[in-house]
Amino acid sequence: MPELPEVETTRQGIYPALIDRRIDKVIVREPRLRWRVIPDLAARVQGQRVLDVRRRAKYLLIDLERGSLILHLGMSGNLRVLPQTAPLLTHDHVDVILDSGQCLRFNDPRRFGSLHWTETDPLEHPLLENLAPEPLGDDFNADYLVDVAQRRHVAIKQLLMNSQVVVGVGNIYASESLFRAGIRPTRAAGKIPRARLAQLTDAIKVVLNDAIRAGGTTLRDYVNASGTPGYFRQKLFVYERAGEPCRICRAPIKQIAQGQRSTYYCPKCQT
DNA sequence: ATGGGCACCTGGCTGC
DNA sequence: TGCAGCCAGGTGCCCA
């Protein structure tokens, strides 16, 4: 489900409820996430105050006084802020109960999400330490992408989805960014001229920022911390629009498979 | 180093 | 109505 805009929207949504609150209790109903949640997680975090809520790539980092929770939403996860007494739904796997009486509830039907605890710098956690630059940061720019794309034979879309190249760009925003840059997703990364890659870095930033502003994209199950969907779906140019007319040139949008994922593009606008 | 394919899991939809 | 098959916002790991 969630790519960078959805994770960032979630971060912004949970921040006010978490910041400076103390954790009264953690309830892990289902520890079998992508990695098994450590058995003593509740004991380790109980009583600690929340110092910050950050995002790195698609990971949420909840910094406490003596460590950090590292949370990933996987494909189908969401976090909601609810009254502690709110009725449970299926797949409500974890509750973080705060001293305000509110509760941060993690729901994840497919259990591709994860919850780790670290008592050292979370950015040096094995899952995070080798991640590429943030797409919205200044070090993700034309020079960088040109350098990385050099001599690479992979299709540009797959390059964009590689977290060693840039983080946070998933299946939706890879297709959307390539549309806005007018680049065909199947083009070999190393054969795209510098000027086009420069347009692409800009397109990625614009698309991600627009999506954050719209509260993310809801296709099926994504909801923000208040339980409401994102509105960026209405602004998608190609994703899940196979056969529908291109919003620019009216040519039917094409759907292909790349690396076992669906890719969408306009055969006229993207070359 | 690079690239490709699989695995993990549940649920919703399609078509027989 | 039932059920098999396919698809879905991710990504770590294993293999060539």
Side-chain angles (χ1 to χ4, degrees), chain A residues 25-26 38-48 66 117 119:
Chain A
K25 197 174 163 189
V26 173
I38 54 163
D40 61 345
L41 180 81
R44 286 189 183 259
V45 307
Q46 184 161 16
Q48 294 195 49
R66 294 185 300 281
W117 169 247
E119 293 178 1

Side-chain angles (χ1 to χ4, degrees), chain A residues 190-205:
Chain A
K191 292 190 172 169
I192 301 172
R194 182 193 165 83
R196 309 296 307 283
L197 290 178
Q199 289 177 313
L200 182 55
T201 57
D202 289 346
I204 290 168
K205 290 171 193 277

Side-chain angles (χ1 to χ4, degrees), chain A residues 153-199:
Chain A
H153 290 237
V154 258
I156 184 64
K157 193 232 182 187
Q158 293 182 265
L159 192 81
L160 292 185
M161 293 182 57
N162 180 343
S163 62
Q164 311 255 66
V165 172
V166 61
V167 298
V169 182
N171 210 34
I172 298 178
Y173 301 108
S175 280
E176 292 298 313
S177 303
L178 286 163
F179 175 82
R180 298 209 194 189
I183 300 170
R184 204 167 280 225
T186 49
R187 294 267 307 265
K191 292 190 172 169
I192 301 172
R194 182 193 165 83
R196 309 296 307 283
L197 290 178
Q199 289 177 313

